[in-house]
Amino acid sequence: MKSNNTSIKEDIMQNASNTLLCTSIDIPSTAEYVAVIRLTVAGIASKLNFDIESIEDIKIAVSEACNNVIQHAYTQKNINTSRIKLEIETENNEFRIQIKDKGIGFNPNKIKSSNAENDEKLGLGLGIAFMKSLMDEASIESSPGNGTTITLLKKVPQQ
Amino acid sequence: MIGFSLEIEEKEKETTVNLKGEIDLYSCEQLDKTLTKLVKENKNKIILNMQDIQYIDSTGLGTIAKNAKELETKQEKLYLYSCQPRVQKMFEISGLNKKNITLISSENEIE
């Protein structure tokens, strides 16, 4: 029993040492704040030694996730209390950004990622296509009535 | 703050819109208003000078694509002059560079 407890403790400590950075930002869900967010995230990414090209990729992906919240998550009724929460951390050599809202949510299976070549409706799904092609991973967790969490991942460059 | 600004330069046969800064959800509304007006007038060839644009996302691309599509109905094209490699990359990923949007690096390329 005793040795089991110790090993759990060591696991936690190990995880803690792998978490280099963890911060959260809470902003109103309005377009003028997106530039502030991408500059902040770019600053953190540059501290982590990402190259300029990767930093630009991250800036666009984060902006697309915020755009998605601003354009779709909140209805006129709750517009005054609408917020976007970003959680930013590095763990196990991955830079992870989560973009969360408490809006109306949707069924992610009904949204298709697309580009203009295969979709005549311009712009539809383009933001999602950008997140997926510019990051190592991009996933959407949502259901109607339960808000949305978008998770973006990019491998941290090894020094 | 980087922000966004635009300035219209009317020439005899062309109208150049000189853009500066970042085209995102916030600034694309201003760009859309200007472009919609120019497309409606349909007086000259429309050239967007992209030289000083450092950032564009799907909302900016969507705004440009929407106006290019409207121009297509008037048998015209929308020209984007001197896109930075970064901006060009976004057009390529989106596939919009094949949609009545012509990326040019010299005014001689205007048809």
Side-chain angles (χ1 to χ4, degrees), chain B:
Chain B
M1 208 64 193
I2 296 164
F4 172 78
S5 66
L6 63 80
E7 176 202 81
I8 298 168
E9 200 182 320
E10 302 253 14
K11 292 177 193 162
E12 200 187 327
K13 287 181 181 164
E14 301 145 21
T15 300
T16 303
V17 186
N18 294 310
L19 305 169
K20 213 171 187 175
E22 301 190 324
I23 310 176
D24 66 359
L25 182 60
Y26 187 58
S27 58
C28 72
E29 201 183 309
Q30 192 188 348
L31 176 62
D32 191 38
K33 264 188 202 158
T34 305
L35 282 182
T36 306
K37 192 169 164 266
L38 289 176
V39 169
K40 205 174 168 189
E41 287 171 0
N42 195 25
K43 207 166 60 184
N44 283 332
K45 302 266 181 203
I46 304 171
I47 303 150
L48 299 184
N49 179 357
M50 303 290 284
Q51 210 166 353
D52 293 323
I53 288 296
Q54 277 96 28
Y55 174 95
I56 191 163
D57 62 26
S58 70
T59 59
L61 294 172
T63 301
I64 292 174
K66 187 192 106 181
N67 285 285
K69 207 175 176 188
E70 190 58 36
L71 267 183
E72 199 173 12
T73 65
K74 302 171 196 265
Q75 276 82 47
E76 273 297 341
K77 281 182 177 176
L78 185 61
Y79 295 94
L80 267 60
Y81 171 72
S82 194
C83 284
Q84 293 196 13
R86 201 43 234 185
V87 171
Q88 202 163 330
K89 178 183 169 181
M90 299 318 295
F91 272 100
E92 279 157 17
I93 298 177
S94 70
L96 291 172
N97 53 337
K98 294 172 186 156
K99 294 253 163 185
N100 208 38
I101 295 168
T102 310
L103 306 185
I104 56 170
S105 52
S106 145
E107 292 192 4
N108 299 331
E109 293 172 59
I110 299 167
E111 286 165 16

